[in-house]
Amino acid sequence: MNEILSIGHGRPYPLGATPGKGGVNFSLFSAHAEKVELCLFDAVEGGKETRIELPECTNHVWHGFIHGIGPGQLYGYRVHGPYEPEKGHRFNPNKLLLDPYARAIGRPLKEWDSCLFGYEIGDPGEDLSFDTRDSASHAPLGMVIDPAFDWEGDTPPETPWHRTIIYELHVKGFTEKLTHLPEHLRGTYAGLASDEAMDYLKNLGVSAVELLPVHHHLDDSFLQERGLTNYWGYNTLSYFAFEPTYASVQDPHDAMREFKGMVKRLHREGIEVILDVVYNHTAETSERGPTLSFRGIDNASYYRLSQEHPRYYEDFTGCGNTLTMENPTGLRLLMDSLRYWVTEMHVDGFRFDLASALARELYGWNKLSSFFDAISQDPILSQVKLIAEPWDIGMGGYQVGNFPTGWAEWNGRYRDEVRRCWKGNDRANELSKRLCGSADLYNHSGRGPHASINFITAHDGFCLRDLVSYNEKHNEANKEDSRDGANDNESWNCGHEGETDDLGIQTLRLRQAKNLMATLLLSQGVPMILAGDERWHTQQGNNNAYCQDNDISWLPWDLSSTGKEMLEFTKELIRLRQELPVLSRKNFLTGQAPEEGKPKDVIWWNPEGREMSDHDWESGFTRCFGMWLPGESLQELGRNGQQRVSDSVFILSNAHFEDLAFKMPQADASPWHLQLATTPIKFDKRQRKTPTLTMPSRSLAVFISKRVSG
């Protein structure tokens, strides 16, 4: 370590380690601390520790300017204060702590050790005891970072919501098996930015990638004991530092540039970057968890503690703790982190894991919470894409449809009702609401169809192939006797589980998968595709592959014939959605005419050749129906200010287990043309305007009537 020239008072803001002229400003919030020591470490493994007491405290912010050091410096903190767990305080200066605002991890936690816990494990008093061992040999360290990067005029794509198609992927799993890449680039930020990955995403046609967590996370000790890892990454320790294991290089500065280069390349190709973020809990878990950062810096300010027994945490996440947004400290951390990722890392939006937990105040979930207010008034964050997972595990936590204006939501009701319909377990009257954008959920708050993030599958649960192939989860590889993961599947009438040589069963499974994918991409709202579903990827029945950093999760690139068929089918659906404005409208479909003399914006069609009646919707035969979208009903302006026009589209669905005769409506322009089907359909090649056809069981077809110019 260079000789420290002098120590100045520095500035309280910005929080974290900020390089300046001749040194670095360090700033740490702790409302209940009595003393804060900055700990500087030599870059060498096991290097010397130099402790410096921060000389100034301004409004609970401890700060100092250290001359003679700069970017690349490793550091941590020791925070002195009361160790009174029963009052919510868990200060222990024997534990080296990671700066919550550290921009990079200079040394990750390599292995779990009992010295990382603030109490003596095995003591009869459990977490009330006090552990005096020094944790510096095992604790993670932050690194002072120089953020300089040449963005080369990078600008965000700013894809309108109604033109957005989201592709949810894992940075590592997406390219880990891409053998065309050099081995050291597979599964990395650079791998995602490679020509091969870019060509795939562009040819597929998606407009945004939603990355599973890239904040620095820890592998749970119980997973390490089983020889597993926290592959998904929903175990965050730092909300500013990127996950270093996804970089192809070890130096944190080079790794940061690699991440920024990935974002820049995606933007250059017109693809937005949305981060899945986990601000609801941290890797420190319950009161029996380790003391690594927040707990030792100011436990009572960062976490939601039980009002009756502050020793314990309020847990709305199932992970042992919940960050508090009631205290300005937690809210400021979240806001500062979000702004950092937008302004410094150039990301385009966020998907908030268990977002309901962030909006909980004293008496539960609150639509008028400080969390929502802070984001809605922020000039930066209010302009990016904000997506909520609108539930947590606490009472009253399921809030689908209740988030405020400016937010989109994972629409769990869409997922459930589409699945039920194609299983043949439900009538279509509920499905029709989902196909039209779910106005019943979102219109009351002044939002449009884009508030509904439509999905059939996501990282959490069965992937698409397994959804139609397995009746029960098979999570044996997780080593929890398959007790983990939701029991969220039922028989799809596709035969026995797993692989089979029965061509009929395999054909039916593929058809059902196509039905679901087609429904997703033909619905109003914003579709989200789980990476791998378009390639017929299987997780072997594992519906909770959070700890499977292996072939169960990694996506295949050498596709089977079925995988190629599914991929081409998905590409065609995306192409149709992009080319036909009537499939991605800015406003909800209402079943009403937009103005006098215009047709209804959606017409529901009965197999007998007439418009559906209320009686039809309530009858048992609404598993087969048509959704007619007249192109001339479109009354919207495109991004360039010109009126959007579209061909008419007729979507015919038969979720029944038998083939059914169907009489189509009179085409409003040119004769109907069969554009796409999930199984071969006998259709009159002469393209009569009112053809009658036999619609195969469990199938979907798309017909187009070309707009007549003039």
Side-chain angles (χ1 to χ4, degrees), residues 135 140 160 265 314 327 357 362 411 422 427 469 478 490 524 550 591 603 688 709:
S135 68
R265 178 67 194 278
E314 290 186 325
N327 190 308
L362 183 61
N411 190 344
W422 279 112
R427 297 175 180 176
S469 301
N478 296 359
E490 301 173 15
Q524 303 297 316
N550 49 48
I603 302 169
R688 294 175 299 168
S709 61

Side-chain angles (χ1 to χ4, degrees), residues 35-48:
K35 182 174 74 171
V36 173
E37 292 179 299
L38 170 67
C39 304
L40 304 179
F41 288 81
D42 290 340
V44 295
E45 186 71 22
K48 177 184 176 183

Side-chain angles (χ1 to χ4, degrees), residues 421-561:
C421 182
W422 279 112
K423 288 178 187 178
N425 295 349
D426 206 4
R427 297 175 180 176
N429 53 349
E430 283 298 315
L431 177 65
S432 65
K433 300 174 186 177
R434 307 302 147 233
L435 298 178
C436 291
S438 296
D440 59 321
L441 299 178
Y442 304 112
N443 197 27
H444 66 88
S445 59
R447 292 182 283 173
H450 71 265
S452 178
I453 304 297
N454 299 331
F455 67 106
I456 305 297
T457 57
H459 67 275
D460 190 0
F462 285 102
C463 60
L464 185 59
R465 178 177 175 180
D466 291 357
L467 180 69
V468 299
S469 301
Y470 290 87
N471 297 334
E472 297 176 353
K473 61 185 178 182
H474 288 272
N475 298 356
E476 292 81 5
N478 296 359
K479 301 180 182 180
E480 297 181 45
D481 297 324
S482 280
R483 295 188 302 269
D484 63 303
N487 293 306
D488 64 346
N489 211 7
E490 301 173 15
S491 174
W492 280 74
N493 300 315
C494 292
H496 299 290
E497 292 187 349
E499 298 301 322
T500 175
D501 294 328
D502 187 333
L503 181 61
I505 292 175
Q506 291 288 9
T507 299
L508 180 55
R509 288 174 181 165
L510 178 60
R511 189 191 307 178
Q512 286 284 51
K514 286 183 175 180
N515 290 334
L516 291 165
M517 184 67 79
T519 303
L520 174 65
L521 287 164
L522 297 172
S523 298
Q524 303 297 316
V526 179
M528 184 186 77
I529 301 170
L530 172 63
D533 280 355
E534 82 284 6
R535 312 188 206 177
W536 204 231
H537 172 58
T538 178
Q539 294 182 171
Q540 303 169 29
N542 192 320
N543 76 344
N544 188 33
Y546 77 104
C547 55
Q548 298 301 319
D549 189 2
N550 49 48
D551 283 346
I552 290 177
S553 299
W554 300 340
L555 302 186
W557 285 85
D558 296 326
L559 301 184
S560 65
S561 59

Side-chain angles (χ1 to χ4, degrees), residues 56-180:
E56 193 75 18
C57 183
T58 305
N59 297 327
H60 304 310
V61 176
W62 302 77
H63 54 93
F65 189 91
I66 313 301
H67 293 272
I69 62 173
Q73 176 66 56
L74 301 178
Y75 74 103
Y77 287 104
R78 297 181 187 274
V79 182
H80 300 253
Y83 188 81
E84 300 173 335
E86 292 178 312
K87 295 182 180 179
H89 300 306
R90 295 179 179 272
F91 294 99
N92 187 337
N94 299 296
K95 308 306 169 184
L96 188 69
L97 305 173
L98 180 68
D99 180 5
Y101 281 73
R103 267 48 171 186
I105 303 301
R107 186 187 73 184
L109 189 157
K110 295 184 178 180
E111 62 178 0
W112 286 98
D113 188 272
S114 59
C115 72
L116 295 168
F117 293 75
Y119 64 95
E120 296 181 1
I121 295 178
D123 186 277
E126 298 178 325
D127 63 294
L128 297 178
S129 62
F130 185 79
D131 188 88
T132 60
R133 290 175 296 168
D134 195 321
S135 68
S137 60
H138 289 78
L141 297 176
M143 177 181 279
V144 179
I145 284 289
D146 178 358
F149 179 76
D150 185 2
W151 283 101
E152 298 181 299
D154 173 69
T155 56
E158 295 185 339
T159 306
W161 267 117
H162 69 282
R163 302 290 290 168
T164 298
I165 300 175
I166 297 173
Y167 189 70
E168 187 194 35
L169 64 84
H170 188 285
V171 168
K172 181 176 183 180
F174 185 63
T175 61
E176 183 66 28
K177 299 181 73 174
L178 182 50
T179 55
H180 292 296

